[in-house]
Structures are given as structure tokens and as C-alpha cells.
Amino acid sequence: MTLVLGLKTLWLLAFGSLSNTLAVNNSGRWWGIVNIASSSNLLTDSKYVQLVLDPSLQLLSRKQRKLIRQNPGILHSITGGVQSAIRECKWQFRNRRWNCPTSQSSNIFGKIVNRGCRETAFIFALTSAAVTHSVSRSCSEGSIESCTCDYRRRGPGGPDWHWGGCSDNIDFGRVFGREFVDSSERGRDLRYLTNLHNNEAGRLTVHAEMRQECKCHGMSGSCTVKTCWMRLPTFRTVGNLLKDRFDGASRVIYSNKGSNRASRVDMRHLEPENPAHKPHSPQDLVYFEKSPNFCTANSKIGTTGTTGRVCNNTSLGLDGCDLLCCGRGFRTLTERVTERCHCTFHWCCHVSCLNCTTTQTLHECL
Ligand SMILES: *[C@@H]1O[C@H](CO)[C@@H](O)[C@H](O)[C@H]1NC(C)=O
Ligand SMILES: *[C@@H]1O[C@H](CO)[C@@H](O)[C@H](O)[C@H]1NC(C)=O
Ligand SMILES: *[C@@H]1O[C@H](CO)[C@@H](O)[C@H](O)[C@H]1NC(C)=O
Ligand SMILES: *[C@@H]1O[C@H](CO)[C@@H](O)[C@H](O)[C@H]1NC(C)=O
């Protein structure tokens, strides 16, 4: 009992009083929990103490810490989501001047987060989508105490099938994502509206890609009985779609046109910068500022530049040396690579290989 009380006090200390000592500017700070030492929360007392003392948790707002306390198991799911988002971001942008650089510091994505360009929009949408995706899946895997599979679809769904099995809990994932992710945004300005819009676009993308999966039962696959459930898309599918929306993102401005004191309706919203463009849809990404060119390192903007990046000397695309190196040219390196080759299997059970050395040519931006 004393131990429990002691832990509770410790918890309150660490989780209660630290809030509001943070900078006003909380945008995306929660991503820092990806560095958390022990994300398997509340398993054992010693892990519990470790977790409470983990500095990464101080990146969360009071509301975010409360949500984590109320949903045991969810911290692990959120950090897993942020990890997928980082991997996916790097993969989608591997051939571009901005290749989603990240750091181990608490500010994972760097200063680009405080801008309002397309890359910023992509990061917000992707990380928001990742939390919804990961939490929805964790619910159906049974690793969060406060949610389960979505069992609301029941009974016959059509003439030859009925709902059954375990649907991924996208509704829980969306509601939780909105509460948790959006709560790190403050203000009423253009940046706030833009970040919230892109967060929601990410969640909507996951929701829109839910698909029905079915399984046949009955004698030797005769499919006399078919049960179906709803399944999340792969996170790659979400990444591909958000990358397309990055390419087609809409530049917006802040508008309070139509704001009417008498009706007391808050009409502040985003509209296309160019009135000739059609308004963005809820799933489109929006931005309000031109991207930096990403060619040269600039610590003020937080860009690392493309010097040293590997480019493709025959490609005319973004990964080609011309574009990737921003016209600075490139150098050619040869590397000797030794690999295991001509492997043979000997009965039983042993594999022997030869070492083959090949020469690889690489091109690197100056
Ligand atoms: C947030 O902080 C960054 C610097 O860390 C600053 O450039 C940016 O303008 C701030 N944003 C807001 C909304 O205060
Ligand atoms: C380089 O670009 C060419 C043309 O786009 C492509 O066919 C080739 O596979 C690329 N090479 C590498 C190593 O990616
Ligand atoms: C291949 O290289 C490894 C270490 O690089 C070495 O241990 C091994 O003996 C080599 N195998 C042959 C068949 O030369
Ligand atoms: C591109 O590099 C390869 C070696 O990787 C070389 O054989 C080829 O001539 C180069 N092509 C051009 C257009 O420079």
C-alpha cells in the first residue's frame, strides 16, 4: 500500500505539476515521445517509475498525459505509430532534396515543423494518420485496456454473408487521435487552422481506406457461410496517398469573411490563396508558405542541404544528379563491396558460400 501511494505521489509530481511550464509553442512536441526509454507503460512497478521519470513525457501536455493514464497500453501504440511515420516519411521522400531528415533530439523533425510549407503539412498529416492507424490496430489486437475490436457491425450484411470477426477500431482511433494529437495545437491563427486541417486530413485518409475482408467457411471452401470484418489499409497505402496530396497541396490564406457578430458564428476558416482555384477538400493537404529550396545547409531554417547525397547520374527526375545537387555537380566514387555468393547447401544442415567482390559506382552531390 505504501509503495502504491508512493508511486501515486511520484506520478502526480511528474505528470501533474510539470504541465504549463512548457513553452506556449507546443506544436508537434509530442512526437518526441518516440525517444521514450520504456514505452511498455504500466507493466511493472520498476517500469512504472522509469516511465514517470522519462524526460520524453514532459513533452506532452497535461491533457495528453491524462489520456495516456486513462488508456493503459496506448503509449506503446502511439510511439509505434510515430516510428512508422518517421520510416514512411523517409521512404516517400528518399529521392528528393528534402528527404525527411530527423534527429534524436526532442524536436524530431527539426525546424521545418514551425514553418507552413508543404513538407510541414505532410509531417502533420502523416504523424496524425499514424496515431489513428496504430491505435485502431492496437485496439483489435487487444493491447489497449480501454478499447477492443469494433463489434458494432453484427448480423447479416448481405444475402450471402454476415458480419463477424474482429474489425479494426477506426472510430476509437479517430476520436483518440483528435483528442491527443490536436490538443498540442494552440491559438486561432493561420498556423493553427492549417495544422488542425492537416491532422484531420491524415485521419480521414486512414478512415477512407478501410476495406472489407471476408473469410469463407463451410465444406472444403464451398463458401456456404461467409463472415466479413473491416480492416485498416497498410500504412504504405496511407503514405502513398498522403504523398499524392503533398504533390497536389493547396496554398491557403486565413479568412474571416462572413464573420457576423450578430449570428455569433465563428467563420474564421482557410480559403485558397488564388480565388480562381477550387477550395480544398477535407482530405487535401494545405500550406501557406513557399518551401525553402533545401539545396544548401541553413541552420536558421533548419535545412541540411544536399551535399553528400547519393544521386543517379542517368535520371532526369528529382533523384538525378542535376536536380538533386542543385547544379553544383557531383563526384563519382567506386566502392568495393564483398558479398556472400554461390552458396551451396550441404546435407544436413550447413550452407557454404564464396566471397564475391564487386565494384560499385556511386555519385555523390558536391
Ligand atoms: C514556434 O517556435 C518557433 C521557433 O522555435 C517559431 O519560429 C514559431 O514562429 C513559433 N510559432 C508560434 C505559433 O509561436
Ligand atoms: C537511375 O535512373 C534510371 C533512369 O531513371 C533508372 O533506370 C535506374 O534504375 C536508376 N538507377 C538507380 C541505381 O536507381
Ligand atoms: C569470406 O569472408 C569472411 C569475412 O569477411 C571470412 O570469414 C570467410 O572465411 C570468407 N570465406 C571464404 C570462402 O573466403
Ligand atoms: C553514369 O554512371 C555510369 C557509372 O555508374 C557510367 O558508366 C555512365 O557513363 C554515366 N552516365 C552518364 C550519362 O554520365
Side-chain angles (χ1 to χ4, degrees):
M1 193 59 197
T2 17
L3 177 64
V4 172
L5 277 179
L7 287 171
K8 224 172 206 168
T9 319
L10 195 52
W11 181 275
L12 280 175
L13 274 175
F15 278 57
S17 64
L18 278 169
S19 58
N20 304 332
T21 59
L22 305 173
V24 207
N25 192 341
N26 257 343
S27 233
R29 280 180 63 113
W30 62 273
W31 297 321
I33 60 169
V34 75
N35 293 325
I36 205 156
S38 153
S39 56
S40 47
N41 51 335
L42 309 190
L43 282 184
T44 64
D45 286 348
S46 64
K47 281 237 177 77
Y48 188 94
V49 172
Q50 244 177 39
L51 177 75
V52 170
L53 299 176
D54 196 302
S56 295
L57 279 180
Q58 298 172 20
L59 298 170
L60 301 182
S61 67
R62 181 196 286 265
K63 177 170 181 189
Q64 286 173 327
R65 289 194 292 258
K66 186 168 157 220
L67 286 167
I68 284 179
R69 263 193 326 265
Q70 288 169 343
N71 298 277
I74 212 157
L75 178 58
H76 191 62
S77 182
I78 298 170
T79 51
V82 180
Q83 278 160 2
S84 316
I86 291 172
R87 267 197 311 275
E88 187 62 23
C89 182
K90 288 183 182 300
W91 194 85
Q92 293 289 344
F93 284 84
R94 67 200 180 284
N95 290 330
R96 301 180 61 110
R97 286 179 187 168
W98 182 75
N99 61 349
C100 202
T102 51
S103 76
Q104 290 292 305
S105 77
S106 61
N107 192 355
I108 303 290
F109 294 99
K111 290 184 180 159
I112 192 83
V113 164
N114 293 322
R115 302 188 77 84
C117 55
R118 287 167 189 265
E119 289 77 11
T120 321
F122 184 81
I123 292 171
F124 276 85
L126 187 73
T127 49
S128 162
V131 168
T132 290
H133 189 272
S134 181
V135 167
S136 306
R137 174 62 50 79
S138 298
C139 285
S140 55
E141 286 173 352
S143 48
I144 300 175
E145 281 181 26
S146 50
C147 61
T148 60
C149 303
D150 183 357
Y151 291 123
R152 280 175 313 165
R153 292 185 183 83
R154 295 207 153 276
D160 56 350
W161 62 277
H162 61 89
W163 289 108
C166 171
S167 293
D168 286 323
N169 201 337
I170 182 68
D171 290 341
F172 187 94
R174 269 180 80 182
V175 170
F176 180 84
R178 205 173 283 135
E179 294 277 304
F180 184 87
V181 174
D182 289 3
S183 73
S184 70
E185 299 304 314
R186 289 268 179 292
R188 296 296 305 156
D189 59 354
L190 176 59
R191 178 184 310 281
Y192 170 82
L193 291 179
T194 301
N195 289 348
L196 285 193
H197 174 94
N198 292 324
N199 284 347
E200 182 66 13
R203 290 186 289 266
L204 284 173
T205 302
V206 180
H207 184 253
E209 292 304 306
M210 295 289 290
R211 294 285 180 268
Q212 192 174 324
E213 256 179 24
C214 297
K215 190 175 167 187
C216 285
H217 311 276
M219 299 278 273
S220 58
S222 60
C223 220
T224 45
V225 188
K226 199 159 84 166
T227 52
C228 303
W229 59 91
M230 295 301 284
R231 194 84 180 137
L232 286 165
T234 63
F235 199 60
R236 176 54 42 81
T237 304
V238 176
N240 289 341
L241 283 165
L242 291 177
K243 176 59 176 11
D244 289 347
R245 305 238 166 81
F246 167 91
D247 292 325
S250 311
R251 185 159 177 172
V252 293
I253 52 171
Y254 183 82
S255 159
N256 52 11
K257 221 187 288 167
S259 143
N260 179 340
R261 215 174 270 182
S263 73
R264 293 197 177 177
V265 176
D266 191 351
M267 298 293 283
R268 282 175 283 199
H269 63 280
L270 303 171
E271 63 179 34
E273 186 195 38
N274 182 340
H277 290 173
K278 76 173 171 49
H280 54 274
S281 80
Q283 290 192 36
D284 287 331
L285 298 192
V286 299
Y287 68 103
F288 57 83
E289 155 178 86
K290 230 172 123 243
S291 297
N293 69 19
F294 299 113
C295 281
T296 47
N298 181 334
S299 61
K300 209 170 138 215
I301 319 178
T303 56
T304 52
T306 62
T307 302
R309 290 275 303 278
V310 172
C311 60
N312 181 333
N313 71 335
T314 55
S315 165
L316 298 174
L318 288 170
D319 62 334
C321 295
D322 274 357
L323 286 177
L324 193 67
C325 308
C326 307
R328 293 186 306 262
F330 58 92
R331 62 191 180 123
T332 300
L333 310 163
T334 52
E335 261 181 4
R336 290 168 68 79
V337 183
T338 304
E339 285 172 331
R340 282 150 52 96
C341 58
H342 303 299
C343 295
T344 47
F345 177 74
H346 301 278
W347 187 265
C348 181
C349 290
H350 162 73
V351 177
S352 70
C353 298
L354 293 178
N355 289 334
C356 297
T357 301
T358 52
T359 312
Q360 276 185 1
T361 308
L362 288 179
H363 309 286
E364 219 181 72
C365 291
L366 292 175

